[in-house]
Amino acid sequence: MKIGMNLLLWTGHVTQEHIPVLEALKATGFDGVEVPVFDPSDTTHFKWLGGVLADIGLQRTAVALIPDEAHSPISADAAARQGGVDHLSRVIDCCAAMGAQALVGPWFQPLGVFSGEGPTDAELDRCASVHRLVAPLARDAGLICALEPLNRFECYLLNTCEQSSAYLERLNEPGFGILYDTFHANIEEKDPLAALRTAYAKGQVNHVH
């Protein structure tokens, strides 16, 4: 097991000014860091950051999200779904440039956008169609993928491990799993430990927050 620190504690965009933080994390004994990849427009930045982290001796994972409805994998609008494919493809390019080992987070719908109802089969199918298009890119980049169920106040497509497990079965893509987050599980799971054990027994837990 590797222990890392999520750099969102300090910033949503890691720059030169954060190098002392990175060095302190290494000195403290962390194995790696989780890097926000929220703006994937500049792969050269992430290549630079990967070099910095490699020199310090920190492994890398990446956390990403869906920025807005124009890039939504669950949208009924084909152009928005293509926007999601394009966005996630750029995120994967940044992960590869940085030398990340995993791509994690709630990259299945824009946060804070609600339909007023629960997730529909059509939305789940549309999301799976987007993820199937980017799955080969993630595999080629050597990335483990972990989708993060969030609490009901942030999203509605995936809130629990049970929902996420069912989605993974629908998706049927090797390399995809669950990011189990203790904060969100404490809100949504009736028994957070049982939910973790069940997902782990299925071999679906790829990452933990």
Side-chain angles (χ1 to χ4, degrees):
M1 181 180 292
K2 303 291 185 179
I3 304 296
M5 178 65 78
N6 195 321
L7 295 178
L8 281 172
L9 182 63
W10 290 273
T11 183
H13 184 64
V14 183
T15 64
Q16 183 88 23
E17 68 180 279
H18 301 105
I19 290 179
V21 172
L22 302 174
E23 292 171 335
L25 290 172
K26 175 63 178 179
T28 302
F30 287 98
D31 298 299
V33 291
E34 193 147 288
V35 178
V37 184
F38 293 164
D39 178 4
S41 60
D42 184 5
T43 56
T44 58
H45 171 77
F46 290 96
K47 184 175 182 179
W48 165 81
L49 180 57
V52 169
L53 292 168
D55 288 343
I56 294 173
L58 289 168
Q59 298 177 34
R60 282 80 79 197
T61 62
V63 59
L65 45 71
I66 300 299
D68 52 42
E69 291 183 89
H71 301 83
S72 176
I74 67 173
S75 176
D77 180 359
R81 296 196 303 276
Q82 183 60 50
V85 172
D86 294 341
H87 171 73
L88 291 173
S89 298
R90 290 191 295 269
V91 167
I92 290 168
D93 287 342
C94 292
C95 290
M98 183 172 60
Q101 297 170 312
L103 172 57
V104 310
W107 35 281
F108 45 80
Q109 71 156 99
L111 304 186
V113 176
F114 299 95
S115 66
E117 300 178 358
T120 66
D121 281 334
E123 288 173 322
L124 291 163
D125 283 341
R126 289 194 290 262
C127 191
S129 71
V130 169
H131 286 161
R132 289 190 192 106
L133 290 174
V134 300
L137 305 178
R139 284 196 296 273
D140 289 346
L143 291 169
I144 295 168
C145 295
L147 300 175
E148 180 180 12
L150 301 183
N151 69 75
R152 73 195 76 174
F153 306 107
E154 298 185 41
C155 77
Y156 69 94
L157 194 79
L158 300 177
N159 299 124
T160 66
C161 281
E162 183 178 11
Q163 287 177 308
S164 302
S165 179
Y167 177 74
L168 293 177
E169 292 172 4
R170 179 189 298 257
L171 177 61
N172 193 29
E173 280 289 347
F176 273 70
I178 295 170
L179 187 176
Y180 180 90
D181 186 303
T182 58
F183 170 79
H184 299 291
N186 186 58
I187 296 172
E188 294 296 342
E189 304 289 357
K190 292 181 180 178
D191 186 336
L193 187 54
L196 175 59
R197 284 175 171 156
T198 298
Y200 184 79
K202 293 181 179 180
Q204 293 179 328
V205 179
N206 281 357
H207 200 66
V208 174
H209 278 174

